[in-house]
Amino acid sequence: MGGEGVLTQGPKLAAERLTTPEAPDSQARAADRATRATPRALVIGLALAALNAYWVVLAEARWGIMDGSCLPLFITPIFLLFVVALLNLLVRRCGRGLALTPVELLTIYCCMVVAETLAAHDLVQNLFGAIGHAYWSATPENKWALLFHEYLPRGLVVSDPTALRLFYEGEASFLDPRAIGPFLGPLLGWGLMLCAMMGAMLAFNVLIRRQWINHERLTYPLVVLPVEMARETTTTGGTLFADRLLWGGFAAAALIDVLNGLHVLNEAVPAVPLIKLVWPPFREVPWTWLYRFNYGLYPFAVALAFFLPSDLSFSCWFFFLVSQLQFIVAGTIGLRAAPPEGFPYVADQASGAWLALALGALATSRPHLARVWQAAWSQDDAEARQYRAGIIGGSVCLVALGAFFMFAGMNLGVMLAFMAVFFLLSIAITRVRAELGTPHEIYYINPQRILVSAFGARALGAHQLTALSVVYWFNRGYRSHPMPFQLESMKMADLSGLDLRALVRTLIIAAVLGLLMAYWANAQITFREGAQAKCMAFKSWVGNESYTRLAGWLNAMPGPKGASVVAMGVGGFLFWGLRWVHFNTPLPLHPAGYALANSFAMNYFWNSFLVGWLVKVVVLRYGGRHGHQHAFRFFLGLLLGDYVLGSLWGAIGPLAHIRTYKNFI
């Protein structure tokens, strides 16, 4: 479509001006700073990463506001980068030599983002929601003690009653040995697992980055805003923060967030209800058969949809409505069971589509990976050494992961199957983010459901089912998946000229810091406030899902679900069929839209994607390439304004000890 290439040129255009000419006497110093993470950038980045990690846990786990780590582009790192970039402009006016370079700004941003992946909604916060749940919530009525306590890996869960009471009820210091002592061993074990997992992901990204960044030239839409803020000038000449269109979009989003924020504090202030998440009050058949049919208009989501290829944004909302139509048809003919488990098996369809997506990405990259393997062992240049380090380091991490999962109770076969499904889904999510930048809360698609559906609870047995339930917390929702953030950092390094080895070291340091800060923040907040006493958004549902489902399997011991397996096959077949349609016909059907449609993400965002797609189509139709460029800057501002004001409300709430407005769910 005319003008579609503007977005794909975004990172390229940003790269053209990511560095600006330096004075002759500073050219050597600038060249050196452009290829490494400078000490001051690391210090600032790690300090802000630590602050941000604590902020995220406090806002999300204690106060239940913001939920910024649920989005593909984290909210608070963008806000903090915005503040640092504005301060940097002031410093530049005072003395150019003191100002941070664009490369340093991106280093700071990468530190914050990678650290937040661990402190985020779907990783360490989930771990604290599940680590003691099996013992704390066991009752004579649910018979958990009889059903599966004997199979729980003692070194990975907390069973001490005193520590659990202090954890859930609060009014304790996490430094109290009675409180934190029983947690130390399990947290150390899970921490080592997370380090090995992120190491394996980092190794794969080192191996695949040249194919996806340089050869296929994937667009990486989610790096555009941080890159634009880091560089000094826009493509039209003036500074980014002097662009009137950007500030127009910023003001529009800010006005909505200010009004809605004041409305939460005082209902007399009028609100803008379109961004509210509403469950429609359908009371008549066939509309009562709709499942999680939400509608809302989030400014940042409209902006994200505008940045996507038109066929993808169209396909996301179109296939979401198709899935809802399936529920209506199933209910009308009497075949619908409790969704999403029963007919029409949309979760299983999505599982097949995501696995097909991963296999397709690997098939496309197979020649490159073969060259990487050959170069790693037959050459001795810098790139070959990077490949060799990636292969060896990744192999060590995978072996360590396998050993950990077997310690958790998996036998060899289940461990291999679990890791295969988990890493295939990880590759698929990373590919979707690199190519398209869409939200990926694929809650229904996880190794646990896939393996139980394929083999049956009876064949797996109580020990294996318990092990799969113990590890469920980190493969439940994938919203803060570390792997795509690592690759996006490599993309920003590629744009800026930052040395890969320097970036990898930075990512490793930031990840370790993020893990430690996430542990400290969760422990400090939960023991002080009480996980179930004052923590308004404590992730107890993770433990409930893990062990209530496990108890159901152990009580019923169902066999394989043939219909679910067939639905997975149908989903994979439809994905490949849509892939052929996408490349060989003018129909605006994108196969990734089919995979993404059957997820919580589209439950939240389908209406915003519809609006973003419609606006983009109209702009391209009547404004052409020039109109799209102007609208692009406006929507950058819309996204930035929603994130900045959302972050401010997310800071005001904890500081004032009140629940404030949240700009997402």
Side-chain angles (χ1 to χ4, degrees):
M1 297 180 68
E4 194 73 66
V6 174
L7 176 61
T8 63
Q9 294 175 7
K12 181 180 177 182
L13 292 171
E16 292 172 356
R17 289 186 173 86
L18 197 55
T19 57
T20 54
E22 298 282 347
D25 60 348
S26 63
Q27 286 180 351
R29 177 168 54 85
D32 181 57
R33 289 167 63 190
T35 58
R36 62 185 178 88
T38 62
R40 67 172 184 172
L42 276 175
V43 170
I44 296 172
L46 294 175
L48 289 177
L51 170 66
N52 182 64
Y54 182 79
W55 182 12
V56 167
V57 175
L58 181 64
E60 294 184 358
R62 166 62 178 92
W63 291 100
I65 55 178
M66 197 158 57
D67 285 340
S69 65
C70 294
L71 300 171
L73 185 66
F74 289 161
I75 290 180
T76 51
I78 290 292
F79 168 75
L80 292 171
L81 178 62
F82 173 74
V83 172
V84 172
L86 287 179
L87 292 174
N88 200 50
L89 287 177
L90 295 177
V91 173
R92 185 173 297 282
R93 289 179 180 273
C94 298
R96 187 178 182 86
L98 298 176
L100 295 166
T101 67
V103 174
E104 290 175 309
L105 288 171
L106 289 179
T107 300
I108 292 169
Y109 176 74
C110 290
C111 286
M112 292 188 290
V113 166
V114 170
E116 183 170 333
T117 60
L118 286 154
H121 208 79
D122 280 342
L123 278 181
V124 172
Q125 288 185 47
N126 277 1
L127 171 59
F128 274 78
I131 196 168
H133 192 88
Y135 285 94
W136 178 256
S137 297
T139 66
E141 290 75 23
N142 61 34
K143 299 180 181 179
W144 287 5
L146 295 175
L147 286 171
F148 57 79
H149 275 190
E150 64 178 297
Y151 305 115
L152 291 170
R154 301 295 178 177
L156 298 177
V157 296
V158 178
S159 59
D160 184 82
T162 300
L164 290 176
R165 178 179 57 81
L166 296 174
F167 176 78
Y168 284 101
E169 296 179 0
E171 302 295 334
S173 169
F174 80 100
L175 295 177
D176 184 342
R178 297 177 305 156
I180 196 62
F183 281 79
L184 292 179
L187 289 178
L188 175 61
W190 288 116
L192 293 175
M193 185 279 293
L194 286 170
C195 289
M197 182 180 75
M198 293 188 71
M201 293 173 179
L202 187 61
F204 179 82
N205 282 330
V206 168
L207 301 179
I208 202 66
R209 66 179 182 87
R210 189 169 294 278
Q211 171 67 16
W212 288 3
I213 292 175
N214 301 110
H215 299 160
E216 295 187 49
R217 296 183 179 274
L218 303 183
T219 57
Y220 297 84
L222 297 180
V223 311
V224 173
L225 181 56
V227 167
E228 289 285 341
M229 284 198 289
R231 69 191 179 91
E232 296 174 84
T233 59
T234 65
T235 57
T236 56
T239 61
L240 174 68
F241 297 125
D243 192 307
R244 293 182 178 179
L245 284 169
L246 178 132
W247 286 112
F250 187 101
L255 178 62
I256 293 173
D257 284 358
V258 167
L259 287 175
N260 284 332
L262 294 175
H263 178 77
V264 170
L265 302 178
N266 184 353
E267 293 186 358
V269 178
V272 182
L274 284 179
I275 70 164
K276 298 289 186 180
L277 188 65
V278 180
W279 289 75
F282 294 124
R283 302 181 184 279
E284 298 179 357
V285 173
W287 309 116
T288 52
W289 295 112
L290 295 173
Y291 177 65
R292 297 181 87 61
F293 190 80
N294 305 313
Y295 59 87
L297 199 62
Y298 300 101
F300 71 83
V302 174
L304 288 175
F306 185 86
F307 300 154
L308 300 180
S310 297
D311 56 352
L312 176 65
S313 54
F314 169 83
S315 298
C316 284
W317 67 262
F318 173 78
F319 284 117
F320 172 78
L321 295 181
V322 169
S323 69
Q324 294 296 324
L325 180 61
Q326 293 181 60
F327 287 127
I328 291 176
V329 172
T332 301
I333 63 178
L335 290 179
R336 182 181 184 228
E341 304 290 340
F343 188 85
Y345 304 102
V346 293
D348 298 305
Q349 293 181 48
S351 296
W354 278 97
L355 292 175
L357 194 159
L359 293 172
L362 288 175
T364 302
S365 304
R366 188 176 61 178
H368 167 76
L369 293 175
R371 290 192 296 269
V372 163
W373 178 267
Q374 183 178 9
W377 308 115
S378 62
Q379 301 177 24
D380 197 36
D381 56 14
E383 186 173 355
R385 288 193 292 272
Q386 291 171 1
Y387 291 152
R388 193 154 55 243
I391 293 171
I392 295 173
S395 299
V396 170
C397 289
L398 288 174
V399 171
L401 269 180
F404 177 89
F405 293 137
M406 294 183 73
F407 173 77
M410 297 184 193
N411 61 34
L412 180 63
V414 170
M415 178 270 289
L416 292 174
F418 174 86
M419 290 181 63
V421 174
F422 175 73
F423 279 102
L424 282 174
L425 293 175
S426 299
I427 291 168
I429 291 169
T430 305
R431 175 71 186 203
V432 164
R433 280 275 294 273
E435 186 173 1
L436 306 167
T438 51
H440 45 79
E441 186 184 357
I442 53 174
Y443 165 71
Y444 304 121
I445 300 96
N446 57 70
Q448 187 191 54
R449 284 194 79 254
I450 291 172
L451 294 181
V452 173
S453 295
F455 299 106
R458 190 181 307 113
L460 290 170
H463 203 160
Q464 304 307 305
L465 291 170
T466 303
L468 290 172
S469 299
V470 168
V471 303
Y472 173 69
W473 61 268
F474 71 84
N475 50 87
R476 174 185 180 271
Y478 310 103
R479 287 167 291 189
S480 54
H481 200 295
M483 192 168 171
F485 289 99
Q486 293 173 347
L487 189 61
E488 286 161 4
S489 297
M490 293 179 184
K491 173 63 176 180
M492 288 185 279
D494 183 75
L495 291 174
S496 63
L498 178 64
D499 179 68
L500 178 65
R501 290 174 300 176
L503 175 69
V504 169
R505 286 195 297 268
T506 300
L507 296 182
I508 292 173
I509 295 171
V512 172
L513 175 67
L515 177 62
L516 295 176
M517 281 301 302
Y519 275 2
W520 175 77
N522 278 279
Q524 191 259 350
I525 291 168
T526 49
F527 281 113
R528 184 186 70 222
E529 307 287 354
Q532 290 182 341
K534 295 181 181 178
C535 289
M536 300 177 186
F538 181 67
K539 308 301 185 295
S540 58
W541 62 76
V542 180
N544 284 330
E545 290 174 14
S546 301
Y547 298 112
T548 301
R549 185 180 298 157
L550 172 61
W553 286 331
L554 295 179
N555 280 316
M557 280 296 184
K561 296 181 180 179
S564 294
V565 175
V566 170
M568 290 182 207
V570 170
F573 176 80
L574 288 176
F575 177 87
W576 282 102
L578 288 168
R579 193 171 185 270
W580 183 90
V581 169
H582 176 67
F583 287 110
N584 294 280
T585 75
L587 294 176
L589 298 177
H590 198 293
Y594 169 66
L596 287 159
N598 297 312
S599 67
F600 267 17
M602 283 306 112
N603 292 142
Y604 301 140
F605 297 131
W606 74 271
N607 201 30
S608 298
F609 273 47
L610 170 60
V611 172
W613 166 80
L614 184 61
V615 170
K616 184 171 184 176
V617 168
V618 171
V619 168
L620 289 173
R621 175 66 177 84
Y622 295 103
R625 183 184 182 89
H626 185 70
H628 185 273
Q629 288 175 330
H630 285 293
F632 185 85
R633 297 198 296 276
F634 174 86
F635 280 103
L636 274 181
L638 191 72
L639 173 61
L640 182 60
D642 204 11
Y643 271 29
V644 168
L645 269 294
S647 296
L648 289 175
W649 285 120
I652 291 171
L655 290 173
H657 294 275
I658 57 175
R659 294 198 74 175
T660 51
Y661 170 73
K662 53 196 297 189
N663 63 341
F664 171 58
I665 62 175

